Amino acid sequence: MQHRTVFEVMTHDVVTATSQTSFKQIARLFAEHDVSAVPVVDPERRLLGLVSEADLLRATAELPDPEGRPAGVRLLSQERGLPAAETAAQLMTSPAVTAQPNWNLVETARTMHRKGVKRLPVTDETGRLVGIISRVEPPR
């Protein structure tokens, strides 16, 4: 029995960020493109890491509550009222767990389950981003 490959089902046109993309720009990318994560790439599209909604939530958990009481122990960027992690380089999970285009979907699903991830950037043999595959999520 021939299983489908990652290449056949992956998203080929991937929304990405650079290491200098700001926290606000990443949040905007999520909203504008209805995605919950963005791969962080260098100018040659080599994968540097991945920023997910969970990464943004972790960063914002350190913001003061509405009454101004500190939520955590990290220092804030007081002049901007942003969490200490302000760029994709500071927010991203790295190294990211990745898939290869020729993997079959069974192998991919097992990797996602074993690593506890919802999506895998897909890279070629040189580490360049060629797509992303994610588990199906219910509509928002």
Side-chain angles (χ1 to χ4, degrees), residues 23-64:
F23 182 102
K24 280 185 172 183
Q25 290 169 316
I26 291 168
R28 191 173 300 121
L29 287 172
F30 287 177
E32 289 175 359
H33 298 280
D34 195 28
V35 296
S36 58
V38 291
V40 180
V41 296
D42 70 10
E44 287 80 37
R45 289 190 61 86
R46 283 188 299 268
L47 184 67
L48 303 174
L50 186 76
V51 177
S52 68
E53 286 177 336
D55 295 320
L56 294 188
L57 288 172
R58 270 193 294 280
T60 58
E62 302 302 326
L63 291 172

Side-chain angles (χ1 to χ4, degrees), residues 107-128:
E107 176 181 15
T108 305
R110 286 182 182 144
T111 299
M112 293 171 81
H113 178 74
R114 191 173 55 254
K115 298 292 187 174
V117 296
K118 297 178 182 180
R119 68 203 56 79
L120 294 173
V122 181
T123 57
D124 66 13
E125 62 281 346
T126 66
R128 286 185 173 79

